[in-house]
Amino acid sequence: MTPDLWRMGYHLMPPTGWLNDPNGLCQFRGTYHFFHQWSPEWPAPHARRGWGHYSSEDLVHWEHHGMVLDQDTPDDANGAYSGGAIVVPGAAPDGGDLLRLYYTGNVKEPGDHDFVYEGRGANEILVESADGFALGPKETLLRNADYPAWCSCHVRDPKIWEEDGAYRMLLGARTRDDLGMMLVYRSDDGRAWELSGTVRSDEPMGYMWECPDRIVLDGHEYVGCCPQGVAGFAWSDGVDDHSGYFPVAGGRRVAGGDAVVAAADFTRWDHGFEFYAPQSFVDESGRTILVGWVGMPEASWIGQPEELDWIHCLTVPRELSRGEDGRIAQWPIAELEALRGEPVALGSGEATLPDHRADLVFTGIEDDFEVTLDDALEVRCDASGCGICFVNKAVACGRTSRRVDLEPASDLRILVDSSVVEVFANGGRMVFSTRWFPAAGELSVRTAGACERALAYPMADAMAGPY
Ligand code: FRU
């Protein structure tokens, strides 16, 4: 067993160290850019944190460009934290499109502080690029003094879009009385911003909302966020930090002043063990694509063998679509199918694939149906929903079982990529992401129960080149 076995073939992972949130996702001048939170020196204590950068022409083959936004100015001295991208058509010096990246500079002031209500700077910073690679100077646009007085020092993670002829910015915030919410800003030029409203839930939901997002599908507006301090909610699996979305309903709009969303409408993106800080973007073909961090912020969530000197990865890009009931489905982008080899039919209910990478597709599921991977991870479908369950503790590193009861499960797709698994049931209406650490180089797949079609595609290693 070597740690190399757990490196991934079609998921973005850190070249070294720690990776967390996806940042600045965009397609710019044809090229996809996925930045990400990165601490290359992790697990060294107080490792610096900034933006790593992956780029791709096809969303399948990627090149890493190292640390491109470091914590190297007084306004981001303790971390170049998360943020987003916007493409401004025709605004570059060459007359082409201009890329703007907005992020939060984290500053911890010297001295003895609580760093929540005092002692922390949260600066919203802009950098521009005409080619997607060379980044211009850092310009600080908003500081703590610019946020409402009722905000704590925790304000961060800008999400930018354009609407009704103005730029809009969402910021995740913690109020001084510990309520999670969002600030909404507006700007004519992308540099001078003024507060235009807030997004709050009708009932309190956690003390902080990180990584706000705003999504429009078929004309319906949604906001996404990562509420912290929600372990008490029935849907939380006892975990404090989650990510999900709310519909913005009742004739309200985020850009239209103060918006109130219903806490009862909050829907988790993912029901697996690790999924946090997702970010969406619209690509040049008009698809809305979501990418999440397969990791969790709580320190107790390390959950991996000690010998590994890197941690976490991103999900595959997931195309979003809206169901008639307003629920958002997530489906692996079609480009990934280019990595598929010749499928093995699981006629006898059992197969072994030579590598630990696969795309498993089951359709026409009836009644109870179960897929077991490596005799370690069971994916169970039944008349009320779907779940994942580790039956081998060594492989699970602390993970147990999770499920969601939404509707009868009728189809299943499972992406396996060495130490990460993503499960999509019912066209992506029920989704699970998890890490696992199987020692085997090959993948065994066993099914129990009836389905119309069961195919196991081996997946090629798309990362073999650039690394
Ligand atoms: C979410 C988060 C963000 C922050 C970043 C720092 O995981 O806490 O709110 O910007 O990570 O790495």
Side-chain angles (χ1 to χ4, degrees), residues 444-458:
S444 82
V445 184
R446 203 175 60 240
T447 64
C451 71
E452 274 164 23
R453 209 168 63 117
L455 292 176
Y457 295 90

Side-chain angles (χ1 to χ4, degrees), residues 20-21 37 49 81-82 104 156-157 210-211 276-277 293 297:
N20 57 306
D21 316 356
Q37 286 287 282
R49 185 163 302 183
Y81 276 10
S82 286
T104 303
R156 58 178 172 266
D157 307 336
E210 297 190 309
C211 302
Y276 197 72
W293 170 35

Side-chain angles (χ1 to χ4, degrees), residues 223-403:
V223 285
C225 67
C226 298
Q228 298 190 288
V230 293
F233 284 85
W235 45 259
S236 76
D237 289 318
V239 174
D240 232 13
D241 307 322
H242 272 289
S243 69
Y245 61 86
F246 304 92
V248 182
R252 296 191 173 96
R253 286 191 317 143
V254 172
D258 292 331
V260 178
V261 292
D265 286 345
F266 183 76
T267 304
R268 279 173 59 181
W269 286 113
D270 193 295
H271 293 268
F273 291 97
E274 289 138 301
F275 183 88
Y276 197 72
Q279 190 174 101
S280 70
F281 74 107
V282 180
D283 79 353
E284 289 172 359
S285 71
R287 294 180 296 181
T288 302
I289 295 173
L290 186 83
V291 178
W293 170 35
V294 188
M296 294 298 282
E298 280 160 77
S300 58
W301 257 105
I302 293 299
Q304 70 173 27
E306 270 174 19
E307 63 264 36
L308 282 184
D309 62 357
W310 62 274
I311 184 164
H312 303 312
C313 66
L314 301 182
T315 64
V316 297
R318 300 171 175 181
E319 184 173 354
L320 301 184
S321 62
R322 181 181 184 274
E324 275 175 15
D325 59 356
R327 194 178 180 92
I328 301 178
Q330 306 161 59
W331 196 244
I333 43 136
E335 284 89 332
L336 283 173
E337 291 165 31
L339 294 175
R340 286 175 170 176
E342 277 303 306
V344 179
L346 285 164
S348 65
E350 213 161 341
T352 300
L353 300 183
D355 295 308
H356 221 265
R357 289 182 304 271
D359 184 349
L360 311 173
V361 180
F362 307 91
T363 52
I365 290 173
E366 286 169 24
D367 307 321
D368 291 355
F369 183 74
E370 206 169 277
V371 182
T372 307
L373 306 175
D374 278 354
D375 288 322
L377 177 59
E378 290 179 359
V379 181
R380 297 173 180 164
C381 296
D382 54 42
S384 55
C386 184
I388 61 173
C389 177
F390 280 100
V391 291
N392 175 331
K393 286 204 172 78
V395 162
C397 292
R399 296 161 186 85
T400 49
S401 69
R402 289 283 170 85
R403 63 170 287 128

Side-chain angles (χ1 to χ4, degrees), residues 2-9 11-20 38-44 54 274 293-294 302-314 417-420 435-437 467:
T2 74
D4 276 358
L5 207 54
W6 296 317
R7 293 192 76 85
M8 291 152 189
H11 284 77
L12 298 183
M13 50 171 282
T16 61
W18 167 288
L19 169 148
N20 57 306
W38 191 28
S39 290
E41 285 86 27
W42 179 92
Y54 272 108
E274 289 138 301
W293 170 35
V294 188
I302 293 299
Q304 70 173 27
E306 270 174 19
E307 63 264 36
L308 282 184
D309 62 357
W310 62 274
I311 184 164
H312 303 312
C313 66
L314 301 182
D417 187 7
S418 72
S419 59
V420 63
R435 301 292 306 284
W436 70 329
F437 300 91
Y467 269 111

